Amino acid sequence: MATIKLHLDTRSKRKNDQYPVTLILHHGYISYISLGISVTQEQWNGKEVIHSPKAQMFNSELKARLLRAQNVILRLSISGEIKKLSQKELLHYIETNTIEPEPKQDYQVETHFEKYISQCKSPRTKEIYQDTLNKLHAFSSQLSFEDLNLSWLKSFDTELAKTCKTNTRAIHMRNIRAVFNDAINEDLVSQNLYPFRKFKIKKEKTIKRSLTADKLITLRDYPVEPYQEKYRDLFMLQFYLIGISIVDLLNLKTIADGRVEYIRRKTGVFYSIKVLPEAMRIIDKYRGKNYLLDVLDHIQNYKEFAKQMNEALKRIGHVERIGLGGKKIRHPLFPKLTSYYSRHSWATLAASIDIPIETISAALGHKYGSETTGIYIDFDRSKVDQANEKVLNLLRK
């Protein structure tokens, strides 16, 4: 229920120690409506002006403005329309003393998308939202929030389905929903326009992406083709460093006090991981000049390297050739293997040997607990170090 009353706004001090008298509106949250009258704190008793030569004139004007505002709220409440109004729309009705709708605002989706992206702190988050914006622009440029309705969402989802899998489409739809909610929260768009109440974002259960300890040993010791060796080794290094992402791995600079420390590009979470002997051997094998590893000493585009790495990992396995110099027939060990498996494999193995979930969560930088009450645990690093030692012991055969 919206409420409105007179209020002395002591946040904004004017000359002669005066403060503005405003209407304070509660409708979801608080807004202030300037009335053009200022008095000192001693001249305000909480309801009206006192001890002022102009008290009678001021109070007459203030009561009239309050009554008009209350009448607008009453009429909108009786009609039921007030439940559909944003704070900005209700302010418009009160300030104009009318219940006629505010003129249509063709606020552009791309405009708010760009604003939202500029406020994202994580480079990876910016990148993901920019990808959604690029697809949105290609499908429907000059799109207003009023045009972004249920029908548009269905058409856009159909278009995305031509090139994107279900869960990728879900990411784009959630990004659009987040931007829409942000525009509503800033009172730039009416909540009446919100189309996601009737549009269900589809998603599929993610296929488990992990290797058992025996399979990791097989991969580690497999006689790979020469070009696959570095990719295989870096995958194992990812695993030894608790599933560090490839972008974070390649951007490591140094080892300090026997540890690698970094802020994860995707989440902004700080990590400090002890470098165990298995990891150190691979680091020494591929040690770089400007980076801990030599990959970015030679190439600038880590994405292209990551793509090549995933392709190479999928191809590891027995190869037979048909005829002299003939076509290669491949029998991959793990045809769906990618660098992401390193993180999932570490977590799965840690759980299999009864490492406490709070330790696994701390190691991965995850929240522990429910989505609404989960917190990041300020965890003793030694517990994570001990957990990694136990996981790697599974491969020390």
Side-chain angles (χ1 to χ4, degrees), residues 5-11 19-24 32-33 35 37 44 46-47:
K5 64 180 181 179
L6 293 168
H7 172 74
L8 187 67
D9 188 359
T10 55
R11 303 172 306 161
Y19 299 89
V21 181
T22 65
L23 288 174
I24 182 170
Y32 299 87
I33 301 174
L35 299 175
I37 295 173
W44 182 255
K47 295 183 178 179

Side-chain angles (χ1 to χ4, degrees), residues 204-317:
E204 293 178 339
K205 187 175 181 180
T206 303
I207 298 174
K208 188 175 182 181
R209 298 182 291 185
S210 64
L211 299 179
T212 64
D214 287 340
K215 288 180 178 179
L216 283 165
I217 292 171
T218 298
L219 176 65
R220 180 196 66 192
D221 299 338
Y222 195 79
V224 297
E225 296 177 71
Y227 87 94
Q228 296 170 335
E229 183 176 357
K230 186 171 188 175
Y231 297 124
R232 186 271 311 278
D233 290 347
L234 292 185
F235 174 88
M236 295 307 302
L237 180 57
Q238 286 184 276
F239 176 79
Y240 298 147
L241 296 178
I242 315 183
I244 184 173
S245 72
I246 191 64
V247 60
D248 292 322
L249 177 66
L250 299 184
N251 279 281
L252 291 176
K253 294 286 189 177
T254 60
I255 297 175
D257 297 323
R259 313 182 72 86
V260 292
E261 295 185 336
Y262 66 99
I263 295 176
R264 192 180 182 202
R265 181 78 65 92
K266 181 177 179 180
T267 61
V269 175
F270 174 77
Y271 289 76
S272 177
I273 302 173
K274 184 177 180 180
V275 180
L276 297 176
E278 295 92 332
M280 185 59 75
R281 285 195 289 271
I282 296 176
I283 291 171
D284 287 339
K285 185 176 180 180
Y286 301 106
R287 192 176 287 273
K289 295 180 180 179
N290 300 315
Y291 296 88
L292 183 61
L293 301 172
D294 63 4
V295 175
L296 294 185
D297 287 336
H298 307 297
I299 64 171
Q300 294 182 340
N301 188 348
Y302 86 88
K303 291 183 179 180
E304 185 60 31
F305 179 85
K307 180 180 179 181
Q308 293 171 358
M309 177 175 173
N310 287 335
E311 289 301 317
L313 291 173
K314 291 182 176 73
R315 288 169 166 254
I316 292 175

